[in-house]
Amino acid sequence: MKISWKEYQKDIADDHYYYARSCIRQNFFPGSEAAFLHILGNDLGRDILDDARHTSCTGIGYHSDIVPLDTIMTVVARQFALMTEAGYENFVSSCITSFGIYSEALEMWHEFPEQEEKAHEYLYKATGREFKKPKNLAHTSDIIFHHRHQIAAQAKHKLINVQTGEPLKVVDHIGCHYAKIFPKVGVGGSEFPYVLSGMVEAWGGECIDYPERRHCCGFGFRNYLVQANRGCPVANSKKKLESMAPYKPDFIVANCPGCTMFLDRWQYAISEMEGTLYGQDGHGIPVLTYEEMAGLVLGYDPWDLGMQLHQVAVEPLLDKMGIEYDPGAKYLGKNGKFIGKPEDSLIGCYTK
Amino acid sequence: MGKYFDMLMEDVRMKEGLTACMNCGICTGVCPSAEFYNYDPRQIVDTVQTQDDRAIEELLKSDTIWYCGECMSCRPRCPRGNTPAYIIQSLRSLSQRLGFFVYSEKGRQQLALKRTIGQNILNTGYCLMPKLIDPELHPEQGPVWKWVYEHDRDVFERFGDNYRQEGPGAVRKIDDQSMAELHNILKVTGCDDFFDNLEKCSEQKAIEMGFNGADEEYFRYIYTTDNGSHQ
């Protein structure tokens, strides 16, 4: 069983994608969504539709238990209807929560066909639209994973420490809703997820296997969204960070927009609360999206990728990879406009 | 069968989530919330499978059902094919339908979630927008987010985003027709009524607790209060 899941590959469409954006990713990692579309369209020559008409899947509301099941299933049905009308069959979600929601809809409609009938009826009544289910459902990281060798062939930088020649040590954080709900929808299933480590290996890095590798980041929807509950998520992130720190990771790459943000922000909160820094040489551990990791490998400017929006300074990683960057351009706005810069903090400051 | 169990079984997630629990406790062992809270999802499944009305009503009125973070880590681990988190989703839906959520501190927080995430969906078509993540309510976001928040348009347009404009792109304004369709979906599928019931039950509870109703003061109270009994 161990071997079969380790070798498990899901079907991932090769071209012609309908793209659904993420509430969290577009807020906190706007450069990543832009980079994904640029990499697909320009570097890989793939066709991908960025449709203005789709809405949130409402997944954060659903998992906070304020959006009923019938509602979210009908919102999903509308997204599929928009894909159908645009002439696409391959649906790509930029968010792990959404990906879990779309997977849940498809599985539920398969197991309980009367629920699918209900979704058709509700959607038609509310919008006059009809939908077909996608032939292929993928998360955006699946698409990057699928093209990892083509990206490696175009690489300007490798995941290698240019000073030592050693592979960079990487923590991969998968995000619970990628494959814990439905193992078959994730590369490697829920026990041996390979979607990020496959990229890391293809681009020259080395993944760290540490005790809490599969532990949740702690987000827990209502456990973060309500201020009184935030002890729970920070405690769980702290558990992960303490578990990985002895292995001296050069960076974390995360699959889920929420996990990426929380593993970054909780490092800030912990550093402010107790002065702990989990990285090396008095720094935090940079937390990257897989689009940022792919973008750096392809030679994109880190500030075009939006890495200045991280709270944990990313410059130690850029230096290790031998990436040139302009420190003075880090916090400039559109067309080089000066818009001030964030206040200094223990974990956000970087001096060479 | 008990009436509450019958009501729960109307939810398809119960059919998928509950087979027969043998009380092994692996769900509790792997649960991130159980590491933090005085919380044992195994007991929830065990209580529900008794089908006992009194025990289930007590559960529906308790803090216990509100600790789960719905990460679903329990789902692939259960050797009997149960999904405690699905059962909890069903319990939470029923607790809110019956107005039982206002009996517990954690349950009362549902109004705060409706007024933040729910209102964001109604107003913008997204669960989150930059201007809705106020650094004052989110000090853990740190100074970089505060800078983004204060310079939102300049920052987002830096990445070519279609910031609050119609048309494709990130953080865009969703067009009127799409918003109307979303609102119709919320109405047709019962989400509007669900929201109204959350408000109505919270209003009554707020007055009972000595507030002038479910006003801003009550919102702040439920959003920030932790009575210290949960760990």
Side-chain angles (χ1 to χ4, degrees), chain B residues 3-223:
Chain B
K3 67 173 177 177
Y4 292 129
F5 187 79
D6 287 348
M7 291 166 94
L8 286 169
M9 287 308 288
E10 290 168 13
D11 188 328
V12 71
R13 291 169 295 192
M14 280 292 290
K15 296 188 180 94
E16 176 70 20
L18 181 64
T19 52
C21 168
M22 62 180 180
N23 272 297
C24 71
I26 198 167
C27 53
T28 304
V30 77
C31 175
S33 294
E35 296 212 17
F36 185 77
Y37 289 119
N38 179 16
Y39 173 56
D40 184 352
R42 176 191 60 82
Q43 287 185 352
I44 291 181
V45 181
D46 198 35
T47 301
V48 169
Q49 73 178 1
T50 65
Q51 305 183 24
D52 181 273
D53 264 344
R54 203 175 63 178
I56 295 176
E57 181 172 329
E58 197 178 317
L59 204 52
L60 292 167
K61 291 178 174 174
S62 72
D63 282 310
T64 309
I65 60 168
W66 301 104
Y67 295 135
C68 168
E70 300 189 10
C71 70
M72 304 290 168
S73 296
C74 50
R75 182 169 157 86
R77 289 276 180 240
C78 178
R80 299 295 290 275
N82 295 292
T83 308
Y86 279 174
I87 296 167
I88 287 161
Q89 285 182 303
S90 303
L91 286 162
R92 288 175 173 182
S93 292
L94 186 59
S95 176
Q96 291 173 97
R97 264 175 55 203
L98 299 175
F100 290 167
F101 70 102
V102 298
Y103 284 77
S104 66
E105 181 180 88
K106 296 294 184 193
R108 286 192 286 275
Q109 294 171 344
Q110 287 306 102
L111 182 73
L113 290 160
K114 181 260 166 189
R115 289 201 185 161
T116 50
I117 303 299
Q119 206 58 44
N120 294 349
I121 294 170
L122 283 170
N123 293 347
T124 69
Y126 299 111
C127 292
L128 307 168
M129 284 298 282
K131 275 298 181 195
L132 302 172
I133 306 163
D134 184 345
E136 193 193 329
L137 297 179
H138 293 273
E140 76 292 340
Q141 285 288 336
V144 173
W145 176 254
K146 188 166 181 280
W147 171 78
V148 174
Y149 182 84
E150 288 168 354
H151 304 279
D152 52 328
R153 181 168 295 280
D154 283 318
V155 171
F156 284 93
E157 288 185 349
R158 161 80 177 76
F159 304 103
D161 292 345
N162 196 10
Y163 191 68
R164 306 308 292 132
Q165 307 293 314
E166 287 192 10
V171 237
R172 68 193 188 279
K173 178 181 185 295
I174 293 173
D175 65 272
D176 292 343
Q177 191 196 331
S178 296
M179 285 303 296
E181 289 185 16
L182 180 63
H183 288 158
N184 274 346
I185 289 172
L186 298 181
K187 185 178 174 188
V188 165
T189 57
C191 190
D192 283 354
D193 291 342
F194 193 84
F195 282 3
D196 289 346
N197 189 51
L198 284 178
E199 289 284 350
K200 192 186 84 185
C201 296
S202 300
E203 177 74 12
Q204 287 169 359
K205 186 66 184 180
I207 291 168
E208 192 185 310
M209 290 171 68
F211 292 90
N212 293 322
D215 55 10
E216 181 65 18
E217 190 188 357
Y218 178 75
F219 170 87
R220 289 274 167 176
Y221 179 78
I222 60 171
Y223 186 75

Side-chain angles (χ1 to χ4, degrees), chain A residues 26 29-32 34-35 300-309 325-340, chain B residues 147-148 151-163 170-171:
Chain A
Q26 69 174 359
F29 306 99
S32 289
Y300 287 35
D301 182 280
W303 312 146
D304 288 343
L305 289 168
M307 297 179 79
Q308 63 276 43
L309 269 54
Y325 56 91
D326 179 359
K330 185 172 180 182
Y331 294 114
L332 297 179
K334 189 181 176 184
N335 301 324
K337 180 183 172 187
F338 179 72
I339 52 172
Chain B
W147 171 78
V148 174
H151 304 279
D152 52 328
R153 181 168 295 280
D154 283 318
V155 171
F156 284 93
E157 288 185 349
R158 161 80 177 76
F159 304 103
D161 292 345
N162 196 10
Y163 191 68
V171 237

Side-chain angles (χ1 to χ4, degrees), chain A residues 112-166:
Chain A
F112 304 96
E114 69 279 11
Q115 295 291 325
E116 183 178 346
E117 279 309 305
K118 204 154 71 164
H120 278 283
E121 283 168 23
Y122 279 142
L123 182 69
Y124 191 77
K125 194 172 172 189
T127 70
R129 296 183 191 272
E130 298 191 69
F131 73 94
K132 286 184 186 165
K133 290 180 280 189
K135 274 195 176 162
N136 189 267
L137 172 67
H139 183 246
T140 35
S141 61
D142 293 330
I143 305 296
I144 298 285
F145 172 84
H146 179 73
H147 294 96
R148 67 196 184 284
H149 297 304
Q150 284 147 277
I151 291 172
Q154 299 176 44
K156 304 281 192 303
H157 301 281
K158 295 278 189 183
L159 300 178
I160 286 174
N161 186 324
V162 293
Q163 284 138 26
T164 65
E166 295 290 317

Side-chain angles (χ1 to χ4, degrees), chain A residues 54 181 191 222 224 239, chain B residues 35 75 77 140 172:
Chain A
H54 82 76
I181 312 178
E191 299 296 335
R222 71 186 327 279
Y224 170 75
K239 178 177 178 168
Chain B
E35 296 212 17
R75 182 169 157 86
R77 289 276 180 240
E140 76 292 340
R172 68 193 188 279

